[in-house]
Amino acid sequence: MAQATIGDSEFDRETAVTLRAPGVYDTRLHPGWTILNVVNGGYLLALMGRALGETLPNPDPFAVSAHFLTPSTPGPATVRTETVRTGRTLSTGQASLFQGGEDGQEVERIRLLASYGFLDALSDDVRTAAKPPEMPPPERCVSADEGPALEGDFAILGRLGMRFDPATVGWAVGEPSGRGEIRAWFELADGRAPDPLSLLFALDALPPAAFDLGLSGWTPTVELTAHIRCRPAPGPLRAAVTTRNLAGGFLEEDAEIWDSADRLVAQSRQLARAPRG
Amino acid sequence: MAQATIGDSEFDRETAVTLRAPGVYDTRLHPGWTILNVVNGGYLLALMGRALGETLPNPDPFAVSAHFLTPSTPGPATVRTETVRTGRTLSTGQASLFQGGEDGQEVERIRLLASYGFLDALSDDVRTAAKPPEMPPPERCVSADEGPALEGDFAILGRLGMRFDPATVGWAVGEPSGRGEIRAWFELADGRAPDPLSLLFALDALPPAAFDLGLSGWTPTVELTAHIRCRPAPGPLRAAVTTRNLAGGFLEEDAEIWDSADRLVAQSRQLARAPRG
């Protein structure tokens, strides 16, 4: 397949939103971004983030805080946005995703608050000493289709070019490390370069860190906050998800994404319900 | 001073909200919780969280995501709440804090989304191996009044009984460690035991981790998300703030709070503007 570009790719076409009225965007949740017919949360953040970027005067998501209300399914949807405050360096907005329920009434799927700014106006100054996750080069990592066959429809794997660090995939064959960490090289399958919106997706694209603690099954997100800190350089990303606190039936999960220029370009933390398994 | 109790303490009296109409609460931001006459963000989260706890059927904050719009000052304020979704285990709400502007118009200070549940219904199961911050016992830690004199009015110190790990206070005498971490024992000054609302405050009560990187000055929060994971046991808390990513004029700051029973009871992450100094 020819290399896709920002603006002309699966991700761009399938997160498109169409202005219907001020602050109201029509969209269609694409079945390509689903697991067991439920739409991935990161894809929804990217799509809602795109609508909010069209609403606010500042183009780039800096901090996006989303609370997940009901599961989203492929098909038509509406994003409603609100400008909360505009400012010179940062503006804040709100967005909600709705889908038609069985009785024809709109059901709210996700509500989020977000602060947007200008990533290109930030300095290159870095004061911390954090390092990218240590992992073998992509050719010595493993793709999902080298692992055991999955039960059910993981359509989203067709959109991804992930290659997992072999040290963090034991859980796929019943041998979790117990550390609660999964690392992978991350690209979109059609080779589209990363940008701030695709980082919102990538932050929620890896398997749950709980799998590396020996749990398996559905891990629904309650809340996810993403910070986009830098416009990513072209090339493969490195992503790591970890958890420090799986307790009382919930877990926190932190994600970090590093770009090919060794910059920490995105961070997220989510609260999720722990899998039962 | 006699030991204060939950319900009868400075914190309880000074975060009180009074229902004026459905979803509308009157309150007064108390000058005791300020730094240089700006009201502390954690105190505001606690006060808004209290109003939302009265609005929603589920009493306890699980995840609170706040975007800070304009600085709050002591005096009258209004909290407006909205029920977004109610559920058996979790309900989601929204709250905004307003104060009168100079022209008499209401100005929004903070908007937040929050998911509330029942902390007492959670199991005691813990699957992760995270450990409390290692620090000397309180009697070998140092209080703020043992440090150099502060310029300006740090009224909030009168509400706190913090004792800092000596290994993380070098920044106060011009010798930051460069690690970006500050640890302290944490209590309210009047001895009131911790509860979920006071944890919302405690998560934003320590000095910014950026100080330990050699920066100083105002570090305004853009966004802060708090997770309350467990009802805290009575007794002093241990709190740690760290940063991994101070870059481009912003920093992420993570806080963790452990209770006297060695449980990780609260976590937060915020995006803040880096101090200029």
Side-chain angles (χ1 to χ4, degrees), chain A residues 62-70 82-85 89-90 92 94 108 111-115 122-132 178-179 213-215 222-223 225-229 243-256 258 264-273 277, chain B residues 62-70 82-85 89-90 92 94 108 111-115 122-132 178-179 213-215 222-223 225-229 243-256 258 264-273 277:
Chain A
F62 274 41
V64 179
S65 310
H67 287 246
F68 289 72
L69 307 170
T70 52
E82 177 195 344
T83 300
V84 176
R85 174 184 171 274
T89 58
L90 289 176
T92 301
Q94 179 171 319
E108 191 169 355
R111 188 177 293 199
L112 63 80
L113 292 169
S115 292
L122 303 184
S123 76
D124 290 330
D125 185 36
V126 176
R127 294 287 292 252
T128 31
K131 294 232 168 8
R179 288 187 302 268
L213 295 172
L215 297 171
V222 175
E223 177 273 332
T225 296
H227 296 169
I228 306 298
R229 301 296 302 279
T243 180
R244 276 179 68 73
N245 195 15
L246 194 161
F250 289 83
L251 77 154
E252 137 275 4
E253 182 175 287
D254 291 354
E256 271 190 11
W258 295 73
L264 179 44
V265 292
Q267 293 173 286
S268 71
R269 174 170 287 175
Q270 66 173 281
L271 182 70
R273 290 182 195 266
Chain B
F62 275 41
V64 179
S65 310
H67 286 245
F68 289 72
L69 308 171
T70 53
E82 175 196 344
T83 300
V84 176
R85 175 185 170 273
T89 57
L90 289 176
T92 301
Q94 179 171 319
E108 191 168 356
R111 189 178 293 196
L112 64 80
L113 292 170
S115 292
L122 302 185
S123 75
D124 290 330
D125 185 36
V126 177
R127 294 286 292 252
T128 31
K131 295 230 166 11
R179 288 187 303 268
L213 294 174
L215 298 171
V222 174
E223 176 274 332
T225 296
H227 296 170
I228 306 299
R229 301 295 303 278
T243 179
R244 276 178 69 71
N245 195 16
L246 194 160
F250 288 84
L251 77 155
E252 136 276 3
E253 183 175 284
D254 291 354
E256 271 191 13
W258 294 74
L264 179 42
V265 293
Q267 293 172 286
S268 71
R269 174 171 286 176
Q270 65 174 279
L271 182 70
R273 289 181 194 267

Side-chain angles (χ1 to χ4, degrees), chain A residues 163-265:
Chain A
R163 297 189 71 83
F164 294 92
D165 184 338
T168 68
V169 289
W171 52 269
V173 292
E175 294 170 13
S177 82
R179 288 187 302 268
E181 178 170 6
I182 299 176
R183 297 185 293 265
W185 291 92
F186 180 92
E187 285 188 290
L188 292 170
D190 62 8
R192 177 203 191 267
D195 73 350
L197 291 179
S198 78
L199 291 177
L200 289 178
F201 166 62
L203 284 165
D204 194 38
L206 264 61
F211 288 7
D212 190 46
L213 295 172
L215 297 171
S216 63
W218 208 245
T219 311
T221 303
V222 175
E223 177 273 332
L224 187 151
T225 296
H227 296 169
I228 306 298
R229 301 296 302 279
C230 187
R231 187 176 302 284
L237 303 167
R238 281 153 293 176
V241 290
T242 57
T243 180
R244 276 179 68 73
N245 195 15
L246 194 161
F250 289 83
L251 77 154
E252 137 275 4
E253 182 175 287
D254 291 354
E256 271 190 11
I257 298 181
W258 295 73
D259 73 359
S260 62
D262 278 355
R263 294 175 306 184
L264 179 44
V265 292

Side-chain angles (χ1 to χ4, degrees), chain B residues 150-193:
Chain B
L150 294 164
E151 283 178 43
D153 185 9
F154 286 68
I156 197 170
L157 294 176
R159 293 290 182 275
L160 300 174
M162 277 196 293
R163 297 189 71 82
F164 294 91
D165 184 337
T168 68
V169 290
W171 52 269
V173 292
E175 295 170 12
S177 82
R179 288 187 303 268
E181 177 169 7
I182 299 175
R183 298 185 292 265
W185 291 92
F186 180 93
E187 287 187 290
L188 292 169
D190 62 9
R192 177 203 191 266

